[in-house]
Amino acid sequence: MSASTVSRVEIDGRPTTVERLHAVAVGGYGHFTAMQVRGGRVRGLADHLRRLDAANRELFGSALDGDLIRRHIRHALADDVSDASVRVHVLAADEAGATAVLVTVRPPGDMPPTPQALRSVPYLRAVPHIKRVGDFGQAHFRRQATREGFDEALLTGPDRVVAEGAITNIVFHDGTSLLWPDAPVLEGITMQLLERALATGPSPSRRGPVHLSDVGSFRAAFVTNSRGIAPVRLIDDVPIPVDTALTATLGQLYASIVWDRI
């Protein structure tokens, strides 16, 4: 089964129907989180639940029961799936403010092991702190970048300030510490987990402005998302050194993060 094949879809803990799926999906208003499940466990599960609750309060004006979300995920995984790519969407179900929880289960996925090439684009997502559905620009520029032979789009703002990847966060190494762009971004769960893990070590990461004109001065760069971490080898036509030792160190640090049972 390919990684793009949806193997299971449930709404509010029940197998969906075409009518029910149409009712909640066609409007395109909502938020979601994406996670990798291994052995029925997830890295940063509490962070995923906090993300969903905060977005739900902002978009729909109500809290979201984390225990209910966990039950929906467990039900969708059932007894026959222990490793998977899982997305939890909370979508507007009607004009009165009701919501529905849609859970998709796909085959598990990992970050490609090869260093990544990024194509910068002049685009910032609206409401960037919410992981939300239906961002046409984000999808459009990523598709455009891949058609041009790149692996990912790098979103940039005024004065060519670097923000984030289309589906990733990006972090740079200046030879001393890791630097996350201080720009309007979605703080990904892997980004949050790495920031906390690095904070307890000898070289905490930091945040600061990064411009496209700066990228050639960095010693390394990495992209992160729910699938893991990958080094960056190229941004536009600017080569980025691939630091194999730092790549291994970050990989080991990420691997040491505890997986939480759903």
Side-chain angles (χ1 to χ4, degrees):
M1 182 179 295
S2 72
S4 62
T5 302
V6 176
S7 56
R8 192 167 296 158
V9 180
E10 293 190 352
I11 297 177
D12 293 333
R14 299 187 302 276
T16 189
T17 63
V18 172
E19 293 77 11
R20 181 63 170 150
L21 184 60
H22 180 271
V24 303
V26 71
Y29 186 78
H31 60 95
F32 74 100
T33 196
M35 62 188 74
Q36 289 296 316
V37 178
R38 300 292 185 273
R41 296 175 180 269
V42 175
R43 283 193 184 100
L45 178 60
D47 297 284
H48 285 286
L49 297 177
R50 278 193 293 269
R51 163 189 278 174
L52 291 170
D53 180 64
N56 212 70
R57 290 173 187 269
E58 184 166 343
L59 297 187
F60 298 112
S62 61
L64 197 61
D65 185 347
D67 289 335
L68 176 65
I69 297 301
R70 294 173 70 182
R71 288 197 297 273
H72 285 334
I73 298 172
R74 289 196 298 266
H75 191 274
L77 293 171
D79 296 326
D80 60 335
V81 178
S82 60
D83 298 343
S85 299
V86 171
R87 286 192 175 196
V88 179
H89 296 255
V90 184
L91 301 166
D94 58 33
E95 295 297 328
T99 59
V101 178
L102 184 150
V103 178
T104 65
V105 177
R106 298 180 178 181
D110 294 302
M111 185 73 83
T114 54
Q116 303 290 287
L118 278 53
R119 177 75 166 94
S120 67
V121 297
Y123 181 77
L124 294 177
R125 296 184 305 111
V127 201
H129 62 287
I130 292 180
K131 191 173 183 69
R132 57 187 180 79
V133 299
D135 192 311
F136 175 84
Q138 175 185 359
H140 169 72
F141 284 117
R142 185 167 190 270
R143 285 174 176 267
Q144 189 176 65
T146 58
R147 284 198 302 268
E148 294 175 2
F150 292 85
D151 300 290
E152 166 71 314
L154 181 64
L155 309 186
T156 66
D159 299 323
R160 294 162 59 85
V161 66
V162 173
E164 60 188 336
I167 60 169
T168 56
N169 290 111
I170 187 165
V171 62
F172 298 90
H173 191 253
D174 62 7
T176 302
S177 62
L178 288 164
L179 174 66
W180 305 92
D182 184 11
V185 301
L186 174 73
E187 295 185 7
I189 303 301
T190 298
M191 173 185 173
Q192 295 177 46
L193 292 172
L194 284 175
E195 275 195 305
R196 289 202 297 269
L198 289 163
T200 62
S203 181
S205 63
R206 59 190 178 87
R207 299 192 189 191
V210 177
H211 294 82
L212 282 177
S213 58
D214 301 326
V215 299
S217 66
F218 289 108
R219 303 286 292 275
F222 302 87
V223 287
T224 70
N225 65 15
S226 64
R227 295 186 172 218
I229 307 167
V232 174
R233 66 175 179 84
L234 186 73
I235 296 178
D236 295 331
D237 60 353
V238 179
I240 308 297
V242 175
D243 188 325
T244 55
L246 183 55
T247 300
T249 297
L250 287 178
Q252 292 166 3
L253 181 65
Y254 186 56
S256 71
I257 294 171
V258 174
W259 293 75
D260 305 308
R261 182 164 294 280
I262 298 170

